Amino acid sequence: MKIMGWCRPFRDRWDQTSERCCYSFPCLSDPARRSSLGLKVAMVLLHLVYVGVLFLLDRDLIVKIKTETWYVAIYLLLFVATLAQYFFTSGSSPGYVIDAMRAANETDARFGKKSLTSKQPASSKNGNLVVTVEGSQLGRSLLESNSTTWTKLVMDMYPPGSSVRNWTCTYCNVVQPPRAKHCHDCDKCVLQFDHHCVWLGTCIGQGNHCRFWWYICEETALCLWTCILYIMYLKTNISRAWWMDAIMIVLLVTLSISLIFLLLLLLFHSYLVMTNQTTYELVRRRRIPYLRGIPERVYPFSKGVCRNLYNFCCVWSSIYTLESLPTAQELEAKSKPYTCLDVLSCRCCC
């Protein structure tokens, strides 16, 4: 009892300090945001440890700073760019369905509901809906407007006779367009849902998949370059203190494992980009109703490698692209095997 009474002042002081921190920094009051912030700090510290140990122990690298300044400058520039891309990707929106619905309703209201007069109100020539969203118009609360425009817009992308109830999210109560899925971690429906990245603390979807790919590419390059520097250090300084070599070997082993994982991840997502697929569609293909009857070697949303790469890299993040389901004729054309004439005419690219 005496020990508990002696610890009580420290506990009260700790509670007061925690309350002040939560009041000064509102992000610390939310457990999810607090864990996400802690993960970001851990990622930065992990990068600093791997690079900092190298600069502390490798004397040849210190000499290189004076003799070959450009070499170290490029390496440090890649290091900073990788961390900047990490925060840029983790803070970006994956493209939520509710934001696209709000943008469609605002666009319809602005133009006097002209979109209701056509079969596909805001669709382009290739059957894709493009909604331009200005950041100043997006609020955090749902607009209290009629969702008839959005419902009609989405249902036109499904086969005739489809029921609205089958494509309405039971959590968000919004009609999901094709390729959208509800994320239980973010508690929102995401356009072209790929996966929820724990390391970034956000979903990967239509709005940030390109940024995610570039982050993996930069992280892979940084990891590979750091591995090379570690190997060069061990080759030239193997006769020095054993504890330095032990530290470098342990770090090199963990770094090599991370490099293998990053290379596989980069190749996997490059394949997804060229075929216009998502991780969720590839893994859960048989569970998605509109993909069950399609053969595995057929990519229903692919428009050719070149156009897939263009749409992935060159479409701005402020534009929501809703893809309609392909027709039976389009699926039949895509399921045909390639011939020599198709290869010469670059059918796979167009």
Side-chain angles (χ1 to χ4, degrees), residues 15 23 25 42 46 50 62 72 87 109 120 138 145 150 160 189 197 201 264 300 305:
D15 293 338
Y23 179 78
F25 304 96
L46 196 63
Y50 277 99
I62 302 300
V72 181
F87 285 103
Q120 288 186 346
L138 292 180
S145 60
W150 175 256
C189 290
C197 183
L264 294 176
V305 177

Side-chain angles (χ1 to χ4, degrees), residues 106-293:
E106 288 183 353
T107 304
D108 178 75
R110 187 181 305 133
F111 290 97
K113 297 186 178 181
K114 293 181 181 179
S115 59
L116 292 175
T117 60
S118 59
K119 188 85 174 182
Q120 288 186 346
S123 43
S124 59
K125 293 182 180 180
N126 58 359
N128 296 343
L129 167 72
V130 179
V131 181
T132 304
V133 181
E134 298 177 4
S136 59
Q137 295 175 348
L138 292 180
R140 299 304 304 168
S141 60
L142 179 62
L143 294 177
E144 298 179 357
S145 60
N146 193 357
S147 60
T148 305
T149 303
W150 175 256
T151 302
K152 177 177 173 57
L153 189 62
V154 173
M155 294 311 299
D156 285 341
M157 299 178 182
Y158 290 103
S162 300
S163 176
V164 178
R165 184 178 300 178
N166 295 335
W167 309 112
T168 302
C169 178
T170 56
Y171 301 96
C172 300
N173 199 26
V174 296
V175 183
Q176 293 180 338
R179 313 190 71 182
K181 182 188 176 297
H182 183 85
C183 176
H184 295 281
D185 295 296
C186 299
D187 198 23
K188 290 182 180 180
C189 290
V190 180
L191 296 170
Q192 291 187 19
F193 175 83
D194 189 88
H195 70 286
H196 184 88
C197 183
V198 180
W199 300 105
L200 292 171
T202 186
C203 276
I204 304 301
Q206 183 187 98
N208 58 358
H209 198 178
C210 182
R211 298 170 185 173
F212 177 73
W213 187 92
W214 279 110
Y215 166 67
I216 298 175
C217 185
E218 294 174 10
E219 193 74 67
T220 304
L222 178 65
C223 192
L224 178 62
W225 199 340
T226 307
C227 280
I228 294 174
L229 293 177
Y230 271 75
I231 294 173
M232 291 173 59
Y233 168 83
L234 291 174
K235 281 185 177 181
T236 56
N237 301 281
I238 197 65
S239 60
R240 295 188 179 180
W242 64 270
W243 61 271
M244 291 185 180
D245 295 337
I247 293 174
M248 298 297 284
I249 290 173
V250 170
L251 293 178
L252 179 60
V253 170
T254 56
L255 202 61
S256 301
I257 296 173
S258 302
L259 178 60
I260 295 173
F261 171 75
L262 287 170
L263 281 172
L264 294 176
L265 189 64
L266 181 63
L267 292 174
F268 175 69
H269 277 274
S270 299
Y271 163 74
L272 294 179
V273 170
M274 289 187 292
T275 56
N276 195 11
Q277 296 185 93
T278 62
T279 303
Y280 174 71
E281 292 172 347
L282 184 65
V283 175
R284 305 280 181 157
R285 188 171 184 130
R286 295 183 179 179
R287 295 189 179 184
I288 302 175
Y290 50 80
L291 295 180
R292 288 175 186 169

Side-chain angles (χ1 to χ4, degrees), residues 4-46:
M4 294 295 294
W6 182 74
C7 294
R8 185 173 297 175
F10 294 97
R11 186 183 301 174
D12 295 339
R13 189 172 300 175
W14 172 260
D15 293 338
Q16 293 176 1
T17 305
S18 301
E19 291 179 0
R20 290 178 182 176
C21 290
C22 293
Y23 179 78
S24 302
F25 304 96
C27 61
L28 299 178
S29 60
D30 186 7
R33 296 179 66 183
R34 187 165 60 243
S35 61
S36 178
L37 181 61
L39 184 62
K40 291 179 175 60
V41 173
M43 287 291 292
V44 173
L45 291 178
L46 196 63

Side-chain angles (χ1 to χ4, degrees), residues 277-337:
Q277 296 185 93
T278 62
T279 303
Y280 174 71
E281 292 172 347
L282 184 65
V283 175
R284 305 280 181 157
R285 188 171 184 130
R286 295 183 179 179
R287 295 189 179 184
I288 302 175
Y290 50 80
L291 295 180
R292 288 175 186 169
I294 302 176
E296 294 185 359
R297 298 288 181 99
V298 177
Y299 313 116
F301 299 104
S302 178
K303 301 173 182 62
V305 177
C306 296
R307 190 174 296 180
N308 290 339
L309 291 175
Y310 174 80
N311 293 335
F312 182 80
C313 300
C314 301
V315 175
W316 296 101
S317 59
S318 60
I319 298 178
Y320 297 110
T321 305
L322 307 183
E323 300 183 62
S324 58
L325 293 179
T327 61
Q329 292 79 7
E330 292 175 346
L331 290 176
E332 184 180 358
K334 292 179 180 179
S335 61
K336 291 181 179 179

